[in-house]
Amino acid sequence: MIKTLQILWAIGCVAWNSYGLYLISISQKPIGPTASALGAGLCAVFAFLFWYFLKNNLKWPYIVLSAVAALMAGFVIYGSFTKDLSLWPSEGWRWAGIVLNGIGALSCFAGITNVITKRN
């Protein structure tokens, strides 16, 4: 279940960034302050690596990847509370980003905990 949430979070981030890039391409405001092809690509790689590391029982790479992903999600959440609110088209989109990245951060922490305590 934890691995599934991590992968869904990463796919959600790919969708978020891709949709933001699409909106920018048609001269509209993106749904958040960070929309990048690099971010979308990185999250796609993360989704694959979460699955690959756990499938092949590569615990330390999985722990490191999960820690990096949790930090990334945490930075996005922090920015949601400290950046200018005009960077989001609405309060709903800001909270959607907070929820998406909250799920990501929590699932990464839970994944690390599960691997360390061997509850895969």
Side-chain angles (χ1 to χ4, degrees):
M1 175 68 171
I2 300 298
K3 175 179 65 173
T4 301
L5 282 176
Q6 285 179 298
I7 292 170
L8 288 175
W9 163 73
I11 291 169
C13 291
V14 170
W16 183 282
N17 279 280
S18 298
Y19 184 58
L21 289 172
Y22 167 73
L23 290 173
I24 291 169
S25 76
I26 59 171
S27 301
Q28 291 187 16
K29 188 175 184 175
I31 55 177
T34 57
S36 73
L38 177 63
L42 184 63
C43 288
V45 170
F46 274 34
F48 171 75
L49 289 176
F50 285 135
W51 168 81
Y52 181 81
F53 290 157
L54 283 177
K55 178 182 180 287
N56 293 296
N57 201 30
L58 300 170
K59 292 181 181 182
W60 283 107
Y62 171 79
I63 289 170
V64 170
L65 178 69
S66 293
V68 169
L71 284 172
M72 287 173 45
F75 285 135
V76 172
I77 293 167
Y78 176 77
S80 298
F81 290 107
T82 59
K83 290 182 179 177
D84 185 359
L85 296 179
S86 68
L87 294 172
W88 290 266
S90 72
E91 191 71 7
W93 280 116
R94 184 174 77 95
W95 280 101
I98 291 168
V99 169
L100 174 65
N101 284 289
I103 290 168
L106 290 174
S107 66
C108 287
F109 290 133
I112 292 168
T113 302
N114 285 347
V115 167
I116 289 172
T117 60
K118 298 179 184 169
R119 289 186 288 176
N120 247 352

